[in-house]
Amino acid sequence: MNREGETAKHVNLVTRDSSTETIRDLSRVLVVGKSPINRVVVSKIVERSGLRPISEPPDIAAKTLRILVPGAIVLDGGPDNKDCDNLMAGIETLRRASGKSLPPVILLSNKNGTPESLGLANVIDVVVAKPITPERLQPVIDRLISR
């Protein structure tokens, strides 16, 4: 396993603290939401960008983030943008530890706005308004992954 450089093709181990080793896989995108249908739609869009989705409900995603740092995270906020609130502290910790606000996070929202206007600027990079379509979401994923 190559621990030196990071590319979308390589998996790297990252040490968060003295007792936890985490896998960083930049080719993975964690797709989180309560709706299995929305997770499937978003996963298909992620695949069109040449990335590998990991589709999970919020409670399972919290456990996944303890062992895997994905290349990006897509959160489906649900009807009130609260469906993934239990993940925000963990995501904020990951982003602070990276020193670069990584991994990038996209919020799928029923409300138009910016991360700042929704009060999520320290955790969310981009808000994409629903309905979820490839024309809206794929360019955002491509832009965030390439930075």
Side-chain angles (χ1 to χ4, degrees), residues 87-131:
L87 295 173
M88 295 304 179
I91 293 170
E92 188 174 5
T93 300
L94 278 177
R95 290 167 61 94
R96 259 190 278 118
S98 77
K100 302 176 186 175
S101 294
L102 295 173
V105 181
I106 300 167
L107 175 67
L108 305 175
S109 174
N110 286 325
K111 301 174 183 174
N112 281 328
T114 64
E116 293 79 15
S117 70
L118 297 175
L120 301 167
N122 56 339
V123 180
I124 305 296
D125 294 299
V126 178
V127 176
V128 177
K130 293 179 182 178

Side-chain angles (χ1 to χ4, degrees), residues 25-83:
D25 187 347
L26 300 178
S27 68
R28 297 282 190 160
V29 175
L30 182 59
V31 178
V32 183
K34 287 186 177 178
S35 166
I37 295 169
N38 285 354
R39 290 195 318 258
V40 168
V41 169
V42 173
S43 293
K44 294 296 182 189
I45 295 169
V46 166
E47 288 173 346
R48 289 176 63 171
S49 293
L51 302 166
R52 298 180 305 170
I54 302 170
S55 173
E56 295 181 343
D59 54 331
I60 303 296
K63 295 174 187 169
T64 299
L65 283 174
R66 290 187 205 117
I67 58 170
L68 172 73
V69 179
I73 302 172
V74 180
L75 304 174
D76 181 355
D80 59 357
N81 288 339
K82 304 275 186 216
D83 283 3

